[in-house]
Amino acid sequence: MPRFQNARLRKAALGSTVALAVLTLVGCASYSKITDGVTGDTYYVQDKTVEPQAGGEIRFTDGATGNTVTLTDYERTAISGATFNNATKP
């Protein structure tokens, strides 16, 4: 195989590997907005911190304060990482 084709294949393979790594990292984090059905308070969370509890409750870490919150009556909506970051900025 001529040298220029070999270099082109290596570039394509490297580009594919980098793209896959970026997609994997981006896909690993997911976020939600949780609204308390009683008070109307809104919390922004990383989904990995949400733990289902007995009786339909959920416990999670509030992304803005770091506080642990437990709710029974709530609405959960998926949000983007950008929305999460904007909502939890100090």
Side-chain angles (χ1 to χ4, degrees):
M1 188 176 286
R3 185 181 173 120
F4 71 92
Q5 286 181 339
N6 230 357
R8 197 178 313 162
L9 286 175
R10 268 186 272 146
K11 255 186 183 177
L14 179 61
S16 296
T17 302
V18 169
L20 181 60
V22 168
L23 287 173
T24 300
L25 289 174
V26 169
C28 288
S30 55
Y31 306 93
S32 293
K33 176 177 85 167
I34 298 177
T35 304
D36 185 329
V38 175
T39 66
D41 291 342
T42 300
Y43 304 94
Y44 294 87
V45 302
Q46 290 187 29
D47 288 343
K48 68 182 181 181
T49 72
V50 179
E51 302 170 7
Q53 304 294 304
E57 295 180 340
I58 57 169
R59 181 179 299 150
F60 57 88
T61 303
D62 178 24
T65 64
N67 294 336
T68 300
V69 179
T70 303
L71 296 175
T72 303
D73 184 7
Y74 61 90
E75 182 179 325
R76 185 173 178 182
T77 307
I79 60 171
S80 69
T83 300
F84 174 83
N85 290 335
N86 288 334
T88 58
K89 275 190 218 177

